[in-house]
């Protein structure tokens, strides 16, 4: 029982994200929770501790050796398939495993796309294809658009913690219930043996209506019969969860079931009769399953590899995959500003300009996030980095271009550049672990369920940020030119400032908006007096000819500056390094 199996779902995850799993003994995380390396999953074996990346590397290394032995030559590169719903951390972990195995990755390709290629659907007429991929540990569905040899992924969905293994666990738990036992009463090796028996029962029920199943322990023994009807009842909630993902992906693609011309089944778990029946009912057509569902993805990957190395197959094949989740950065108030939206075709590059929030700010902290919600706390943190060396300027004067670049494998590079000086920082996002099960399964659902609430929260936070910025600006103006106000005027403005400060913490966005407008009206004359004073200082000691000459020289440049204002740009929070660094102005 010292065997590693179904650890693919552990790739790119942390020890605190996998929940209860009695199949393995894991090394406890270090007490220093701030150290990401301490959170990486490590499994105990008789050969020592091993991570999912190391285990995956051993598989890849063995496969490469077998290929070299069979083909009689050295392997120059590989195409590796991954679930379409693998996030950035899981894709990066896959590439790290290949690097550790000593093989060069030509391309990561989504498994549903590879399956469609294997079926030769790239040679068919223009059509939309649904690929239903239910493997041992993961599920994903992709809606593909085929047009003149180009595969474009219109949408994708799924769950990286749902698969045939869960069917096995459902049967095992049923057996324990019949035997009046719990998982805690079984040693890990006994539970593993029960899972082996459960898997055998599942496979038998694909051909038979009933199967005998037994549980034999030193302290207990149970023998019984499992029917296909009972099995279907056990796994129906799991199958329905996959169908919900299918419906959502069809909707995301802007299509209806009637628009889907073909449905392709991928993964060994699609051999389960209930799965095939439910998929056929949903799409109102028999799915394609004549190619071995365990091999179809590998065949598609081989075809793609053959094309990538330049072999002439008399066909042009272009695969355009999409991002499963949006990518963005944190803005002031804990909001998320999305830079590349989900279902964007990759490779993709997007850039957005930001600016400083406070006078004299010389550094910017960029917090990279992944998810669909409006608040940072509801999304997943990918990385943090700093841009230093920003010239000391007044707030809003700096121009900082943040660029997101996602390659064909779904790996993200982020850069931040201060455009006036050329100071630049670039990182490749390589998180040590990924989303937990609940985040992956619920992230998109939550984005729909909480859309209205998120919109209201975003509006409130934006109003709060605007109010706080206005309060700081008015207070700074009073400190500098307060002598332009009478005692009565200053008292009235101070009262409005206090009121706005209170409302910004407690009230609705409309109350804050009204208070901002009231403060703006009350300070109009103050602003005019300050401007008049500035003009008098600027014109002091100059004649009309000097002013006219200066105006003529500046006229052209002013027009250019007007096209590069800070209006609508994002601003970075003040301090040497900004926490929650940017803010949509």
């Amino acid at each position: 029982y010292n065997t590693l199996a179904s650890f693919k779902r552990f790739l790119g995850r942390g020890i605190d994200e996998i929940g209860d799993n009695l199949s393995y003994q894991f090394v406890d995380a270090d007490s220093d929770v701030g150290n990401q390396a301490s959170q990486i999953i490590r499994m105990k074996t008789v050969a020592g501790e091993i991570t999912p990346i190391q285990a995956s590397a051993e598989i890849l290394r063995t496969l490469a050796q077998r290929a070299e032995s069979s083909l009689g030559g050295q392997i120059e590169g590989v195409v590796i398939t991954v679930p379409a719903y693998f996030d950035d951390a899981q894709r990066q972990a896959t590439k790290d495993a290949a690097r550790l195995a000593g093989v060069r990755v030509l391309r990561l390709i989504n498994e549903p796309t590879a399956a469609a290629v294997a079926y030769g659907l790239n040679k068919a007429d223009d059509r939309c294809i649904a690929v239903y991929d239910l493997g041992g540990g993961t599920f994903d569905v992709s809606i593909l658009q085929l047009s003149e040899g180009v595969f474009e992924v219109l949408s994708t969905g799924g769950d990286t913690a749902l698969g045939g293994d869960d069917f096995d666990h459902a049967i095992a738990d049923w057996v324990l219930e019949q035997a009046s036992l719990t998982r805690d009463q079984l040693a890990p090796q006994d539970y593993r043996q029960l899972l082996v028996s459960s898997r055998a029962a599942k496979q038998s029920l694909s051909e038979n209506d009933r199967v005998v199943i037994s549980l034999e322990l030193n302290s207990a023994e149970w023998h019984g019969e499992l029917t296909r009807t009972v099995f279907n009842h056990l796994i129906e909630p799991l199958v329905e969860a996959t169908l919900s993902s299918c419906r959502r992906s069809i909707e995301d693609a802007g299509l209806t079931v009637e628009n889907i011309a073909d449905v392709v089944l991928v993964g060994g778990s699609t051999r389960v009769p209930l799965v095939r029946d439910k998929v056929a009912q949903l799409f109102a057509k028999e799915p394609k399953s004549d190619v071995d569902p365990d091999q179809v993805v590998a065949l598609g990957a081989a075809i793609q590899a053959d094309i990538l190395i330049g072999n002439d197959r008399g066909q042009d094949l272009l695969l355009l995959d999409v991002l499963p989740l949006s990518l963005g950065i944190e803005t002031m108030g804990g909001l998320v500003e999305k830079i590349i939206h989900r279902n964007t075709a990759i490779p993709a590059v997007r850039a957005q300009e930001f600016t400083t929030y406070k006078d004299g700010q010389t550094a910017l902290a960029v917090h990279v996030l992944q998810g669909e919600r409006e608040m940072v706390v509801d999304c997943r943190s990918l990385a943090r980095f700093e841009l230093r060396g920003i010239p000391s300027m007044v707030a809003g004067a700096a121009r900082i271009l943040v660029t997101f670049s996602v390659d064909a494998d779904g790996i993200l590079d982020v850069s931040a550049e201060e455009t006036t000086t050329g100071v630049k920082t670039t990182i490749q996002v390589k998180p040590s672990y990924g989303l937990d099960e609940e985040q992956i399964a619920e992230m998109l659902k939550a984005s729909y369920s909480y859309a209205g609430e998120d919109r209201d929260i975003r509006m409130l936070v934006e109003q709060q940020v605007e109010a706080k910025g206005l309060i700081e600006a008015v207070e700074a103006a009073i400190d500098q030119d307060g002598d332009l106000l009478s005692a009565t005027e200053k008292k009235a403005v101070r009262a409005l400032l206090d009121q706005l400060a209170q409302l910004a913490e407690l009230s609705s966005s409309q109350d804050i908006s009204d208070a901002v407008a009231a403060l703006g009206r009350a300070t109009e004359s103050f602003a005019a007096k300050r401007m008049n004073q500035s003009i008098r200082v600027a014109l002091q000691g100059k004649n009309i000819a000097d002013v006219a000459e200066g105006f003529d020289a500046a006229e052209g440049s002013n027009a250019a500056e007007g096209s590069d204002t800070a209006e609508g740009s994002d601003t970075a929070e003040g301090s040497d390094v900004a926490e929650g660094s940017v803010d949509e102005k």
Side-chain angles (χ1 to χ4, degrees):
Y1 305 112
N2 189 48
T3 302
L4 300 181
S6 299
F7 54 83
K8 177 179 177 180
R9 63 175 63 184
F10 300 152
L11 280 172
R13 296 194 178 215
I15 186 64
D16 57 345
E17 299 175 315
I18 58 174
D20 295 330
N21 192 308
L22 299 181
S23 300
Y24 299 102
Q25 290 184 346
F26 297 107
V27 179
D28 292 336
D30 296 340
S31 58
D32 179 12
V33 296
N35 180 6
Q36 281 192 340
S38 70
Q39 300 296 308
I40 296 176
I41 293 174
R42 300 194 301 277
M43 297 169 284
K44 294 180 181 179
T45 74
V46 294
E49 298 174 3
I50 187 170
T51 69
I53 290 178
Q54 291 172 316
S56 298
E58 287 297 324
I59 292 176
L60 292 173
R61 185 181 293 112
T62 300
L63 290 174
Q65 290 171 349
R66 290 182 180 179
E68 289 176 346
S69 176
S70 299
L71 300 175
Q74 185 175 357
I75 298 299
E76 299 294 337
V78 299
V79 170
I80 300 178
T81 62
V82 295
Y85 217 55
F86 254 24
D87 65 21
D88 190 75
Q90 293 163 309
R91 291 171 188 269
Q92 186 59 53
T94 303
K95 294 189 75 173
D96 289 343
R99 189 179 301 110
L100 185 61
V103 297
R104 182 168 68 94
V105 178
L106 299 175
R107 179 82 181 268
L108 294 185
I109 177 175
N110 284 349
E111 291 167 357
T113 307
V117 172
Y119 268 99
L121 295 177
N122 52 300
K123 301 176 183 178
D125 298 332
D126 294 357
R127 62 181 60 193
C128 291
I129 304 162
V131 181
Y132 180 100
D133 186 350
L134 185 62
T138 62
F139 166 72
D140 56 62
V141 57
S142 290
I143 308 300
L144 312 179
Q145 170 71 55
L146 174 63
S147 179
E148 298 180 356
V150 177
F151 270 116
E152 180 177 2
V153 182
L154 300 181
S155 65
T156 185
D159 189 338
T160 57
L162 173 61
D165 292 342
D166 298 287
F167 294 177
D168 302 340
H169 283 285
I171 295 175
D173 290 344
W174 176 81
V175 171
L176 291 175
E177 182 180 353
Q178 303 306 306
S180 299
L181 296 172
T182 65
R183 286 195 193 185
D184 295 338
Q185 295 176 268
L186 271 65
Q189 59 267 32
D190 291 332
Y191 188 70
R192 168 59 64 183
Q193 182 58 50
L194 176 58
L195 287 177
V196 171
S197 300
S198 298
R199 185 175 300 114
K202 174 187 68 177
Q203 294 168 351
S204 177
L205 287 173
S206 293
E207 303 293 336
N208 304 293
D209 292 330
R210 59 189 67 242
V211 61
V212 174
I213 188 169
S214 302
L215 174 64
E216 297 181 359
L217 305 173
N218 292 331
S219 58
E221 183 174 327
W222 179 86
H223 302 277
E225 185 178 74
L226 176 64
T227 65
R228 183 184 291 181
T229 300
V230 173
F231 173 58
N232 288 347
H233 176 72
L234 294 175
I235 67 170
E236 188 168 12
L238 298 171
V239 178
E240 284 298 330
T242 69
L243 299 181
S244 295
S245 293
C246 292
R247 297 185 187 96
R248 187 162 55 244
S249 293
I250 294 172
E251 182 179 348
D252 286 346
L255 303 174
T256 63
V257 171
E258 290 73 21
N259 299 131
I260 306 300
D262 291 297
V263 182
V264 175
L265 295 182
V266 179
S269 297
T270 59
R271 290 189 173 93
V272 174
L274 180 68
V275 172
R276 297 194 175 196
D277 292 344
K278 290 288 187 178
V279 172
Q281 291 174 18
L282 174 63
F283 289 96
K285 57 178 60 65
E286 284 298 318
K288 292 181 177 295
S289 58
D290 45 303
V291 178
D292 187 333
D294 287 318
Q295 298 181 9
V296 62
V297 168
L299 291 173
I303 294 172
Q304 173 69 0
D306 198 34
I307 294 171
L308 286 175
I309 63 174
N311 288 343
D312 183 11
R313 297 181 59 85
Q315 60 176 313
D316 293 322
L317 179 61
L318 178 61
L319 308 177
L320 300 177
D321 289 330
V322 297
L323 283 179
L325 294 170
S326 299
L327 299 168
I329 62 176
E330 179 179 355
T331 66
M332 284 288 291
L335 295 174
V336 178
E337 181 69 12
K338 296 181 179 67
I339 293 182
I340 304 184
H341 291 264
R342 69 179 294 262
N343 283 332
T344 295
I346 58 173
V349 178
R350 298 288 188 275
Q352 190 163 329
E353 191 175 80
F354 298 87
T355 189
T356 49
Y357 181 72
K358 289 189 175 182
D359 294 344
Q361 184 176 336
T362 60
L364 179 73
V366 179
H367 185 193
V368 183
L369 297 149
Q370 181 182 48
E372 304 309 310
R373 301 288 298 277
E374 297 293 337
M375 302 299 293
V376 169
V377 295
D378 298 315
C379 292
R380 177 211 170 197
S381 175
L382 288 182
R384 296 176 186 265
F385 69 100
E386 297 174 3
L387 174 66
R388 293 187 174 273
I390 300 173
S392 181
M393 308 178 188
V394 297
R399 290 291 177 267
I400 301 163
L401 190 67
V402 177
T403 303
F404 278 38
S405 176
V406 183
D407 66 17
D409 296 326
I411 305 302
L412 171 66
D413 286 276
V414 182
S415 67
E417 178 181 7
E418 206 290 305
T419 57
T420 61
T421 62
V423 175
K424 185 176 183 179
T425 298
T426 301
I427 66 166
Q428 184 174 82
V429 176
K430 293 183 178 180
S432 296
Y433 46 86
L435 296 168
D436 60 41
E437 294 182 8
E438 183 177 357
Q439 283 177 306
I440 294 174
E442 297 294 333
M443 190 169 278
L444 289 179
K445 180 180 178 181
S447 70
Y448 300 133
S449 301
Y450 295 100
E453 180 181 330
D454 284 352
R455 183 181 61 249
D456 294 340
I457 291 175
R458 185 181 188 94
M459 186 181 302
L460 174 60
V461 173
E462 288 174 343
Q463 290 286 358
Q464 290 172 331
V465 170
E466 180 183 356
K468 292 175 182 178
L470 179 59
I471 290 171
E472 289 185 10
V474 173
E475 288 179 340
I478 292 176
D479 291 341
Q480 182 177 351
D481 298 314
D483 57 328
L484 297 177
L485 292 172
S486 67
T488 301
E489 290 174 326
K490 189 179 296 187
K491 182 178 180 180
V493 172
R494 288 289 186 189
L496 289 173
L497 284 171
D498 292 341
Q499 180 185 24
L500 180 57
Q502 293 177 0
L503 292 175
E505 297 295 335
L506 304 173
S507 297
S508 68
S509 58
Q510 186 60 53
D511 291 337
I512 297 173
S513 179
D514 293 341
V516 167
L519 182 58
R521 290 191 296 270
T523 56
E524 282 180 356
S525 62
F526 181 36
K529 291 177 182 178
R530 296 190 74 211
M531 181 172 291
N532 290 338
Q533 178 172 276
S534 298
I535 293 174
R536 284 196 298 272
V537 172
L539 296 181
Q540 188 173 2
K542 295 184 179 180
N543 57 40
I544 295 178
D546 293 334
V547 175
E549 182 180 350
F551 178 78
D552 291 338
E555 185 174 11
S557 64
N558 285 343
E561 290 173 9
S563 65
D564 189 29
T565 65
E567 186 70 29
S569 68
D570 295 324
T571 57
E573 181 180 358
S575 74
D576 182 36
V577 176
E579 289 292 337
S581 53
V582 295
D583 170 42
E584 190 174 6
K585 190 173 183 180

